Amino acid sequence: MQASETRLAPEASASPRLSAVPRSAPSRRTLPRGPRQPRLWQSLRYALRPYASIDDTFRRYGDCYTVHPLGGPPMVVFTDPEAIKEIFASDGAELRAGEAAGPILGPIIGWHSILLMDGERHHRERRLMAPPLHGERMHVYGGIMREIADRVIDSWPIGRPFPIHHEMQAITLDVILRAVFGVHEGTRFAHIREGIVRFLAQADGPTAAFLAIQAFQVELRGLSPWGRFVRNREAICTELLAEIGRRRSEGTAGRTDILSMLVEARDEQGEPMTDPELIDEMFTLLMAGHETTATSLAWAFHHVLDRPDVLAKLRAELARVVGDGPVQPHHIPQLDYLDAVIKESQRLCPVATNVIRRLTQPMRIAGRDLPAGITVSACIYSTHRHPDLWPDPERFHPERFIGARPAPHTFFPFGGGIRRCIGAALASYEMKIVLAQVLSRTQLRIAPGYRMRPVLRTITVAPSAGMPVVLDSRRP
Ligand code: HEM
């Protein structure tokens, strides 16, 4: 996420809602060593070769270095587990994630998003939002996930290459719409889905970078990219407000979706979430949960289909645990090898390369004195490939996770500490259901001639060209 730091933390557009950080850039001489090239070059290098550029920098500068992303403060990157432990142990007073993300994400997902909050507001929001995303609730969503996966699998052409990443996006979007928003088939579903597809296409399209820059946020009666974006967002908000209104007036009895649970949630003072809060959090869950899960699935297919031995072991486990029938929620805890395959895929190819925090006051991390105003990052990608932590780190070897639980500061695809991904249980569960169902029902292979390159898509790293595959056969 070095280049995306440009989008996550441009000081020029800081909102008055966020507490001020010193504007003067700390001198390069007081910070750990790092690449000395111009900022534009450093950001471009990351944008064009995200994994390789991190590898190069790690090889040259080791466990701690400073990079200088375009438009943002210097970023001190750590891959030393002790430093990462310190970063994740922070209660958020000095190391603020919301402050780093605010200026950019605010206008896009809304100012009431948990991603933008720090301190007590963030604690309150997590307490409200965590219960419906808790591990035990997953059984409720398992059936929906399998049904959606089956419908998408049934639409795949036989014998013709198609990009499996796009198919995974279709699945994860429908899971969010049904499990999170609680909207099903019919006109309402079609309206909301259409609006969201337009919204996501723009948030992930070629104009995405401009959306985040205040100077380009001009409406021009809906003709500019920003204008179209605002109109799309308003259209979705109108539909969501109607959904919230329906739940408030009709009650939520019998409903299992996350929106209904949030409508019912109360904080310690007995206060419910307001409509604007609910809407912004719905956008947050959509934006944070859809592309990340689809991309993680695309990486898992890349690794599994590339290794006949792993595929054979997975199929044997599925045959033993699931048999001929569909995958059921009670099968999931028994699929140890599948769990290890997913973790190993996230270890080698994390969709987010770094997590970031803004330092609001001087702080000592791993014996280094760091000034206020900079960004501090725990580098997921390099820590996951650190030769001192992982034997034969470049090898895809799921067995390393069997019967082993790596420490949360050596393996952290979902980040850590008080900001650890709130949707981790949902995403892990969904990945297992989808992979199990696809691999039980289909014979897939990587499309002939495909050469994978890791590419940056807004803020996630994905396999290039949508990861094309060919379907040879499919069981009904
Ligand atoms: C495989 C899929 C996913 C990956 C790899 C992923 C990764 C991450 C990472 C790295 C963070 C930042 C953590 C930090 O700063 O320490 C994060 C935060 C977050 N994620 Fe996920 N995520 C995934 C799926 C989801 C899903 C499915 C949802 C919700 C439906 C979700 C909602 C969130 C939210 C709301 C936050 C902000 C938490 C906070 O600031 O307290 N994510 N995620």
Side-chain angles (χ1 to χ4, degrees):
M1 270 199 213
Q2 281 148 311
S4 65
E5 165 68 358
T6 310
R7 289 179 219 120
L8 289 174
E11 290 173 291
S13 55
S15 150
R17 289 160 202 258
L18 303 164
S19 64
V21 291
R23 299 275 138 166
S24 56
S27 145
R28 286 194 180 205
R29 262 173 298 159
T30 60
L31 295 171
R33 279 175 352 113
R36 304 185 65 80
Q37 290 86 2
R39 285 161 179 269
L40 177 62
W41 191 89
Q42 293 192 30
S43 293
L44 265 180
R45 199 165 148 253
Y46 177 78
L48 296 175
R49 298 171 67 232
Y51 286 167
S53 73
I54 298 181
D55 265 337
D56 291 348
T57 316
F58 173 70
R59 242 176 267 129
R60 175 126 196 239
Y61 298 99
D63 277 339
C64 176
Y65 55 83
T66 306
V67 293
H68 295 270
L70 192 66
M75 178 159 82
V76 177
V77 180
F78 289 97
T79 53
D80 158 22
E82 285 313 307
I84 291 165
K85 205 172 178 179
E86 285 178 37
I87 294 171
F88 287 163
S90 159
D91 66 359
E94 311 101 341
L95 291 172
R96 299 191 163 211
E99 197 156 310
I104 289 312
L105 295 182
I108 295 173
I109 46 178
W111 290 102
H112 303 284
S113 164
I114 186 169
L115 284 162
L116 276 60
M117 295 175 187
D118 287 300
E120 190 37 50
R121 265 192 90 202
H122 174 254
H123 281 291
R124 171 193 179 262
E125 204 72 356
R126 276 207 67 122
R127 279 194 296 269
L128 286 170
M129 289 177 73
L133 292 160
H134 195 267
E136 285 160 23
R137 300 267 325 152
M138 294 310 122
H139 295 300
V140 179
Y141 313 129
I144 299 176
M145 290 169 179
R146 202 193 60 226
E147 222 180 282
I148 293 170
D150 273 335
R151 219 182 25 224
V152 171
I153 295 169
D154 286 336
S155 72
W156 292 347
I158 292 188
R160 243 185 316 121
F162 64 92
I164 199 155
H165 189 174
H166 298 184
E167 302 302 308
M168 295 301 113
Q169 287 170 321
I171 293 177
T172 58
L173 177 57
D174 281 3
V175 168
I176 297 264
L177 284 174
R178 288 185 59 183
V180 179
F181 289 36
V183 285
H184 296 256
E185 313 301 316
T187 328
R188 255 165 49 213
F189 177 83
H191 261 149
I192 297 187
R193 194 178 197 285
E194 230 170 74
I196 287 177
V197 167
R198 267 199 311 271
F199 176 82
L200 289 171
Q202 223 191 342
D204 198 28
T207 54
F210 296 106
L211 297 177
I213 301 170
Q214 268 185 349
F216 289 95
Q217 291 171 355
V218 196
E219 287 211 39
L220 293 179
R221 296 190 185 163
L223 296 174
S224 65
W226 179 251
R228 282 199 302 280
F229 187 79
V230 170
R231 290 196 176 188
N232 267 335
R233 195 180 191 282
E234 278 167 3
I236 303 170
C237 286
T238 309
E239 301 281 352
L240 281 181
L241 267 177
E243 283 297 322
I244 295 168
R246 232 170 262 127
R247 281 168 180 69
R248 291 209 200 280
S249 61
E250 294 166 10
T252 55
R255 302 203 64 128
T256 53
D257 57 89
I258 293 171
L259 175 56
S260 295
M261 292 191 69
L262 291 180
V263 166
E264 292 301 329
R266 298 289 179 273
D267 66 13
E268 273 105 33
Q269 277 72 48
E271 293 299 321
M273 290 170 83
T274 62
D275 287 357
E277 280 172 342
L278 283 167
I279 286 191
D280 289 357
E281 294 305 17
M282 288 292 105
F283 271 100
T284 303
L285 295 178
L286 174 72
M287 299 292 280
H290 156 72
E291 180 63 23
T292 44
T293 313
T295 306
S296 279
L297 277 162
W299 278 122
F301 280 109
H302 163 72
H303 288 118
V304 168
L305 300 181
D306 199 35
R307 283 279 298 274
D309 56 325
V310 172
L311 186 56
K313 267 184 140 173
L314 265 181
R315 286 200 200 286
E317 183 179 72
L318 288 168
R320 182 168 46 77
V321 175
V322 180
D324 282 341
V327 182
Q328 303 283 355
H330 70 267
H331 294 135
I332 298 299
Q334 301 172 55
L335 296 169
D336 292 337
Y337 193 65
L338 178 64
D339 180 66
V341 164
I342 290 173
K343 286 187 174 134
E344 180 67 342
S345 176
Q346 290 178 319
R347 180 186 72 82
L348 274 175
C349 298
V351 299
T353 58
N354 297 63
V355 292
I356 57 169
R357 310 281 186 261
R358 180 68 67 85
L359 208 59
T360 55
Q361 41 187 282
M363 195 179 171
R364 196 176 174 85
I365 298 178
R368 289 173 189 271
D369 288 316
L370 301 172
I374 62 161
T375 306
V376 165
S377 162
C379 184
I380 304 176
Y381 176 80
S382 296
T383 311
H384 282 188
R385 291 180 181 232
H386 202 301
D388 296 348
L389 302 172
W390 307 93
D392 203 358
E394 304 296 319
R395 181 163 169 241
F396 184 78
H397 183 56
E399 285 73 9
R400 68 174 92 235
F401 282 99
I402 301 277
R405 284 191 111 199
H409 44 279
T410 58
F411 177 67
F412 49 99
F414 293 106
I418 57 166
R419 309 300 299 220
R420 185 173 187 270
C421 176
I422 205 168
L426 183 79
S428 302
Y429 198 82
E430 183 175 354
M431 287 180 72
K432 286 180 196 171
I433 295 262
V434 173
L435 275 169
Q437 199 62 4
V438 171
L439 296 175
S440 303
R441 288 195 54 203
T442 67
Q443 294 287 339
L444 279 176
R445 61 188 154 88
I446 297 179
Y450 175 60
R451 283 180 67 91
M452 193 280 291
R453 263 181 326 107
V455 291
L456 185 69
R457 291 168 49 88
T458 316
I459 57 167
T460 55
V461 181
S464 52
M467 174 68 216
V469 297
V470 175
L471 174 68
D472 287 326
S473 63
R474 171 175 51 215
R475 274 203 301 128

